[in-house]
Structures are given as structure tokens and as C-alpha cells.
Amino acid sequence: MTSVKIKNLTKRYGKTIAVENVNLEIKDGELFILLGPSGCGKTTTLLCIAGLINPDEGEVWFGDDMITCAEHNKFERPQERNVAMVFQDYAIYPHMTVFKNIAFPLEVRKKHKHEIETRVKEVAERLGISELLERKPKQLSGGQRQRVALARAIVREPKVFLMDEPLSNLDAKLRVYARAELKRLHKRLGVTIVYVTHDQLEAMSIGDRIAILNNGFLEQIDTPENIYNSPKNIFVAGFIGSPPMNMLDGTLIEKDGKLFVDLGFSTYELSNRFDKLKKIKSTEVILGIRPEDISISKENIKNSIKAKVDIIELMGRELSIHHRVNENTIIAITKPTEDLEIGDELYLVFVNEKIHVFDKNTEENLITKNS
Ligand SMILES: Nc1ncnc2c1ncn2[C@@H]1O[C@H](COP(=O)(O)OP(=O)(O)OP(=O)(O)O)[C@@H](O)[C@H]1O
Ligand SMILES: [Mg+2]
């Protein structure tokens, strides 16, 4: 296996910039996610790693080997890169048995029959599909098919696995299972995987680290936890989390040495955790708070926001409550113990450490930003 480094990668299609100046360092053995909305450049980045697309600018490295360098017109051919690609439909051959499917890449390489047999059995053993070798794909579950596709990729001993939305045609339940399975396999095999998805939940649940792309730009690279807790900007904050983070327009004001956000309908006092904001010039801000970081109270307590219950949704073990606050909707998630009804008036309290403040103009997170 190998590490993968991407330097200043840019790919244009006429006037469309598919990927712009992207820099990534993927560690050996990492399960690295490329996440972002449709058209943000995920597949393009993956294909540049595979060598199936040549970028206009930039470099790709596998460990200490430079395999792409646009400046010097150096593009190692895809066959020489030894990457395994796993796509949505797995592309396992329906007329071949599982054994034949896994053996296929070795047969193409004209390996000796004995070697093929040994390696197929060994890989099948590692993936727990030894009993399925004589079956045809249609006699397998979705999860088993996924393992066959992986086995066929692994048998070639690739340097890197490149996966483009490999689970997206599975139903929701199977997907959760297949996700966990992939995570387990990754742990066991210790292979380097670059995994593309537009599903933030999938990214959060399996990724060691996540790179978030938006319109060809890299917005943030970090662990799922840091991306969730310390989003670098409004785009990342809004893209990760469901229901999404509440975002409220406001103006920063300082009064008697204390800092407040004037939200128009209410003024919210910020604790001294936000003292560094006293120095900044921009006062137009967006206050961000995730639904699970809001508590609700029937009493009017200090530094709370008066709201009216608009919609109550039961989401399994929790309630998602939509509140009307003037023209705004604020969503809070609580345990379904409250005796709440639509139209009730109550007070929302934001968990202080979980408040985010973004610059309205630059959209940057003002708390995590290095000043
Ligand atoms: N062969 C091509 N010719 C012209 N434009 C292209 C080509 N391939 C991709 N693009 C454009 O480049 C941008 C990035 O495409 P890409 O396929 O990388 O997106 P993606 O993030 O994989 O999206 P999705 O989640 O929909 O698969 C898009 O605007 C797309 O329309
Ligand atoms: Mg794609």
C-alpha cells in the first residue's frame, strides 16, 4: 500500500473548472473520504489519481513516486499505477462464479493456475466468503456481492483502492450494514482507500479523515469529529449535520465590556469564550447552532430566545421541533418527554460552547480562524 499526495491539482473542461488547485495528503492505510455535493469534482479528483484523466495542472504522488506532473507532461499510464477501482455497480460478472470473478484479474495477467487458486482462496478467506466460491452473483446478498468486488480488487494487490459511491445502489438498511462491513474490512486489511460520496452521514461514519469539496474547491480536510465540531466556514457547517445547523443573521455589539449578537428579534449575550471577537472589524455575522445544542424551557430564563412551536416531528428516539421566531425557523432536537403542543410558547437556550459565529461576508468561522 502507499500514501497518496495531490499537489495543486487543477482540471478544466472548457470554461468549467472541475477541480481547482486542490492539495491533499492521504496517509498510507487511511480511509480517506472525498465528500461534497453533485458536480463538486469528486470523481474528477479520483480519476486523476487513477490516471484515467490528465489534469491541466498539478502533481500526483504515490509515496515517493511522482506519477503525474502536468508541468513536465509526465503521466504514468493507468495500468502502471496499480490502483483498484470499485464503482457503484461493482461490475462483477453475472455469468461467472465467485471464484472466477475473483480470479479474473489474475487470469488476464496470465498467472499460473496453481498461483491463481492459492491467491483466490487466501483472499476469500480474508473476506469471509470461502463458502461462496461456487455461487453465481445472483445467489448472493448485496453485502456479499460487495465483498466479492472487493476480493477481486484485493487479489491484484493494488497500491490504492479508489471507490466512487460504491454503496449508493443499496437500500438504506443494507447500506448501513455494508458501511460497517467496509469499515471493519479496512481495519483488518490496513489498505489505503480513497472513497467518494455525497452522503455526509456515510462520510462521517466510515472516514478516518474527510476532505470537503465545493465547486472544485477544497473547503476543509479533517477528522469527522473536527469537521462536525469546528467547521471552517458556513458551507461546511451547513453541509454536515442533519437536520442542518440553524443559521441566524446578526450584528455583533459590545456594551459595558460584554459581547452580544443582535438578532433583530432578540439580543443574545455571548460568554467570554468569544472575547477574541471584540477585536474583529466585521460586525455582520451569522450565529450558528446545531439542533441538538439547543435546550428548551417553559420558563423565561436569562439569555434565552422566545419562540413558538410550529411543527413537531418524531424521529425515532427524539423529537425534532421547528420553532417560529419572527420570520426565522429554529430547529431543536429533544427527548420526547416534553409535553409540547403546536402553538406553545417557550424559550430556547443555546449551549454556550456549541455556538458558532461566522463572518457574514467571508463566511469563515470566526472562532476557529487563526488570528
Ligand atoms: N467529461 C467532461 N466534460 C465536461 N465537463 C465535465 C466532464 N466531467 C466532469 N465535468 C464537469 O466537471 C464538474 C465536476 O464533475 P465530477 O464528475 O468530478 O463531479 P462529482 O463531484 O463526482 O459529482 P457527482 O456527485 O454528481 O458524481 C461538473 O461540473 C461536471 O459537469
Ligand atoms: Mg461523481
Side-chain angles (χ1 to χ4, degrees):
M1 284 285 136
T2 183
S3 59
V4 179
K5 188 159 71 184
I6 292 177
K7 275 168 92 175
N8 307 104
L9 192 80
T10 296
K11 175 69 189 173
R12 298 180 203 95
Y13 291 105
K15 281 189 184 147
T16 308
I17 301 178
V19 174
E20 181 151 21
N21 200 21
V22 163
N23 288 280
L24 292 174
E25 285 194 38
I26 299 160
K27 295 178 200 136
D28 191 353
E30 192 169 27
L31 202 174
F32 190 90
I33 311 274
L34 296 176
L35 172 69
S38 184
C40 71
K42 304 179 295 293
T43 298
T44 305
T45 307
L46 209 64
L47 295 176
C48 286
I49 299 174
L52 295 167
I53 286 183
N54 293 338
D56 298 299
E57 287 161 37
E59 297 169 9
V60 181
W61 293 70
F62 281 179
D64 295 327
D65 295 331
M66 184 167 68
I67 52 174
T68 294
C69 175
E71 196 188 350
H72 296 110
N73 218 15
K74 176 184 160 105
F75 301 106
E76 199 173 88
R77 293 188 311 157
Q79 306 86 293
E80 288 155 6
R81 297 187 179 208
N82 194 14
V83 301
M85 298 208 63
V86 181
F87 293 102
Q88 201 181 89
D89 53 6
Y90 307 143
I92 50 178
Y93 306 113
H95 60 285
M96 292 184 189
T97 62
V98 169
F99 182 96
K100 280 277 180 199
N101 262 288
I102 302 173
F104 189 73
L106 302 177
E107 278 168 2
V108 171
R109 283 171 183 72
K110 308 241 179 311
K111 298 285 180 196
H112 199 271
K113 194 164 174 257
H114 181 68
E115 186 191 342
I116 292 177
E117 190 155 333
T118 314
R119 276 173 63 185
V120 170
K121 285 190 172 157
E122 192 184 285
V123 171
E125 180 79 17
R126 273 162 83 191
L127 295 187
I129 49 175
S130 300
E131 312 78 61
L132 309 177
L133 288 174
E134 292 317 313
R135 291 205 202 167
K136 295 269 179 69
K138 67 170 188 298
Q139 300 166 301
L140 303 174
S141 72
Q144 289 168 334
R145 257 177 252 157
Q146 182 197 25
R147 274 185 272 172
V148 175
L150 275 176
R152 194 181 53 187
I154 289 169
V155 83
R156 292 172 34 200
E157 299 178 337
K159 287 186 176 157
V160 187
F161 285 88
L162 304 176
M163 303 190 177
D164 198 346
E165 313 243 7
L167 310 183
S168 58
N169 63 352
L170 303 182
D171 67 43
K173 202 168 150 198
L174 191 55
R175 231 170 132 152
V176 172
Y177 163 80
R179 217 150 71 188
E181 176 84 5
L182 183 71
K183 178 96 187 158
R184 251 196 310 274
L185 276 175
H186 172 254
K187 243 195 174 130
R188 187 137 50 90
L189 304 172
V191 294
T192 310
I193 301 178
V194 188
Y195 187 104
V196 163
T197 181
H198 63 268
D199 179 342
Q200 47 115 0
L201 237 142
E202 188 163 295
M204 297 291 284
S205 63
I206 64 169
D208 291 326
R209 282 190 308 149
I210 301 173
I212 299 195
L213 287 165
N214 176 25
N215 259 328
F217 280 103
L218 193 57
E219 298 278 4
Q220 185 168 1
I221 309 177
D222 219 323
T223 59
E225 199 186 354
N226 287 345
I227 289 211
Y228 193 79
N229 293 321
S230 310
K232 218 171 140 188
N233 54 40
I234 290 178
F235 178 82
V236 176
F239 192 73
I240 300 284
S242 173
M245 187 186 282
N246 297 289
M247 306 267 188
L248 303 166
D249 273 13
T251 311
L252 276 183
I253 43 177
E254 206 181 326
K255 208 170 146 192
D256 304 330
K258 287 183 177 165
L259 202 60
F260 301 84
V261 184
D262 181 357
L263 297 166
F265 49 86
S266 184
T267 303
Y268 205 87
E269 184 179 342
L270 296 175
S271 70
N272 51 15
R273 183 168 83 89
F274 298 92
D275 273 357
K276 75 182 250 197
L277 299 186
K278 287 178 179 170
K279 287 186 234 114
I280 63 157
K281 290 189 193 76
S282 55
T283 55
E284 296 300 303
V285 295
I286 305 274
L287 186 149
I289 184 83
R290 293 200 185 277
E292 65 273 32
D293 300 327
I294 299 178
S295 60
I296 55 181
S297 157
K298 294 207 164 170
E299 315 295 322
N300 182 2
I301 46 179
K302 196 171 167 260
N303 211 25
S304 62
I305 288 176
K306 192 174 172 190
K308 204 174 204 171
V309 177
D310 190 27
I311 299 172
I312 302 175
E313 293 174 338
L314 180 62
M315 310 196 316
R317 285 184 301 131
E318 290 158 333
L319 285 183
S320 162
I321 306 168
H322 297 232
H323 302 87
R324 290 302 288 171
V325 186
N326 277 25
E327 293 304 298
N328 299 276
T329 295
I330 300 180
I331 302 178
I333 292 179
T334 66
K335 296 263 177 303
T337 48
E338 326 277 334
D339 50 342
L340 284 178
E341 282 184 39
I342 290 168
D344 282 0
E345 288 200 338
L346 36 79
Y347 297 87
L348 307 177
V349 181
F350 301 161
V351 176
N352 177 47
E353 313 83 72
K354 303 287 186 173
I355 294 174
H356 304 267
V357 182
F358 303 96
D359 185 318
K360 194 171 176 181
N361 295 314
T362 65
E363 303 201 342
E364 280 176 301
N365 187 331
L366 291 168
I367 304 297
T368 57
K369 185 184 166 191
N370 300 323
S371 48

